[in-house]
Amino acid sequence: MATKEEVLEALGGVMDPELHRDIVSLGMVRSVEVEGERVRVHVVLTTPACPLKGAIRQSVEGAVRALPGVASVEVEMGADVASGRRTRKEERLPGVRNIVAVGSGKGGVGKSTVAVNVAVALAQSGARVGLLDADLYGPSVPILLGATHESPEMSEEGERAVMLPLERHGLKVFSIGFLLKDTDAVVWRGPLLHKAVQQFLEDVAWGELDYLVVDLPPGTGDVQISLSQLVPVSSAIVVTTPQDVAFADVLRAIRMFRVTKVPILGVIENMASFVCPTCGTEHRVFGDGRIEERCREHDVAYLGAIPMDLRVAPAGDQGRPIVVEAPDSPPARALLDIAARLAARQSVLAHSGDR
């Protein structure tokens, strides 16, 4: 019969493919039980969205099954998301482990649609996820999540009143759109924008979250700067389309994040191509972009490409993200892969000690 010590020694040879360290020294092996020829192992991953969960499970099973006296191996997989922020109780959002900003250098690239679907994909993996619509001039998250005519409820938190985020598709959601009429326009300058962002961070009951995804407005203006001043942003992703003119603005967004010392997880290429549903021919509607090559040139990761699909816009207008409406569609599969990839990169960042 194998001993617990022998099992742990065998598991010391199983490496996390992203962190390149063994799962025992990383503290991912939470318990080992040996009952005769049967072994049970509880492994806790760094994110429930881990794209290599299956590979880790197989490696654990293989390492333990190779021990003499082991006839069966049962592997229980859990997750405990690592924090990419150094927070203290007195800081804003102490219960939020990672704040991930979604930006773009320009409008019209589908940034909000990507932010919503990535957030929903992370929630579908089992993570606790919030979505803050910080696009104060053009809040579209209420439409994309089917919450255009709803308002947040108030609650008491200690001696102060707080707003409760709405819940949609497993997300906690807040947007200035919940506080405005459809015809209202936000005509604010820097100080008012800063105050609004501060209130959405301080006066909304976000609670305990693994990820707070923040949908930023286009460009590199006041809201982006205010966010980085108010809270330690864990990381950022940048959304572009294939054209050179779009990537030129992406470079400005990358520069902004680097100036504000926000690590960049990577670039997402949206609307990369369109596959004709009739003939199956792939069309590069916006040209054959070189986004992946350009990312390498500027030392930033390429997180993946999302194809165009005729279902995305109508589903979004109905408040149904494509990962919910058509989870087997090409854009949904791409978004699910991208969400897993960025969660893995965020875990690596959190364990690197760079923050």
Side-chain angles (χ1 to χ4, degrees):
M1 184 178 72
T3 65
K4 180 178 178 179
E5 290 72 24
E6 289 173 334
V7 173
L8 286 171
E9 184 178 355
L11 292 175
V14 177
M15 307 297 289
D16 182 288
E18 296 284 350
L19 300 175
H20 305 296
R21 289 173 55 191
D22 71 272
I23 62 174
V24 175
S25 65
L26 284 168
M28 294 168 63
V29 180
R30 295 298 170 86
S31 67
V32 172
E33 298 177 16
V34 180
E35 296 179 357
E37 296 181 334
R38 181 180 180 184
V39 177
R40 286 195 296 271
V41 181
H42 183 202
V43 178
V44 176
L45 303 173
T46 55
T47 172
C50 177
L52 300 171
K53 182 186 301 184
I56 294 174
R57 179 190 290 275
Q58 288 181 357
S59 296
V60 169
E61 290 178 346
V64 177
R65 197 180 296 277
L67 293 172
V70 175
S72 67
V73 181
E74 180 182 331
V75 181
E76 178 186 352
M77 306 289 280
D80 184 15
V81 176
S83 177
R85 306 173 60 213
R86 293 174 181 166
T87 60
R88 298 186 300 271
K89 288 295 183 183
E90 64 272 18
E91 290 182 340
R92 298 178 179 92
L93 305 179
V96 177
R97 297 189 177 190
N98 298 283
I99 299 175
V100 181
V102 181
S104 65
K106 66 189 298 294
V109 298
K111 169 186 56 61
S112 295
T113 297
V114 170
V116 166
N117 280 278
V118 164
V120 173
L122 289 172
Q124 288 177 338
S125 74
R128 300 168 297 177
V129 185
L131 175 62
L132 172 59
D133 184 359
D135 191 348
L136 303 183
Y137 289 128
S140 54
V141 166
I143 295 174
L144 293 170
L145 289 175
T148 51
H149 301 293
E150 298 195 34
S151 300
E153 295 182 1
M154 303 298 296
S155 181
E156 296 293 328
E157 191 173 273
E159 297 181 355
R160 65 191 187 98
V162 294
M163 293 177 285
L164 298 178
L166 274 62
E167 297 197 10
R168 286 290 186 280
H169 304 297
L171 304 176
K172 290 184 177 180
V173 187
F174 197 85
S175 169
I176 195 174
F178 299 152
L179 309 177
L180 301 174
K181 297 178 182 177
D182 291 344
T183 55
D184 286 346
V186 175
V187 189
W188 293 344
R189 301 187 71 179
L192 287 176
L193 293 171
H194 181 90
K195 184 62 177 178
V197 174
Q198 182 175 340
Q199 285 188 297
F200 294 167
L201 297 172
E202 293 181 348
D203 298 335
V204 176
W206 291 108
E208 299 288 329
L209 295 176
D210 296 316
Y211 306 97
L212 176 61
V213 178
V214 183
D215 180 25
L216 294 172
T220 57
D222 292 314
V223 172
Q224 288 87 337
I225 295 171
S226 292
L227 182 69
S228 64
Q229 290 174 339
L230 290 166
V231 289
V233 181
S234 307
S235 58
I237 56 178
V238 184
V239 181
T240 186
T241 47
Q243 310 100 303
D244 286 342
V245 67
F247 196 81
D249 289 321
V250 163
L251 292 178
R252 297 183 179 92
I254 290 173
R255 175 60 179 164
M256 176 202 67
F257 286 125
R258 286 175 173 166
V259 167
T260 55
K261 301 188 185 306
V262 175
I264 302 168
L265 293 182
V267 172
I268 297 171
E269 183 181 6
N270 194 26
M271 297 182 269
S273 62
F274 172 73
V275 177
C276 175
T278 303
C279 66
T281 303
E282 183 178 19
H283 302 276
R284 298 282 178 172
V285 179
F286 297 115
D288 192 3
R290 299 184 299 112
I291 303 302
E292 188 170 6
E293 178 185 343
R294 300 291 300 279
C295 286
R296 285 195 297 269
E297 291 172 359
H298 294 279
D299 193 27
V300 62
Y302 179 76
L303 292 176
I306 305 169
M308 300 175 70
D309 191 294
L310 298 176
R311 291 166 285 188
V312 173
D317 288 343
Q318 295 167 14
R320 301 276 298 173
I322 194 64
V323 295
V324 175
E325 180 71 11
D328 292 326
S329 65
R333 291 199 300 270
L335 283 157
L336 291 167
D337 288 344
I338 287 170
R341 204 167 294 130
L342 73 88
R345 291 185 62 84
Q346 179 58 56
S347 294
V348 173
L349 183 65
H351 280 87
S352 69
D354 291 341
R355 297 293 298 155

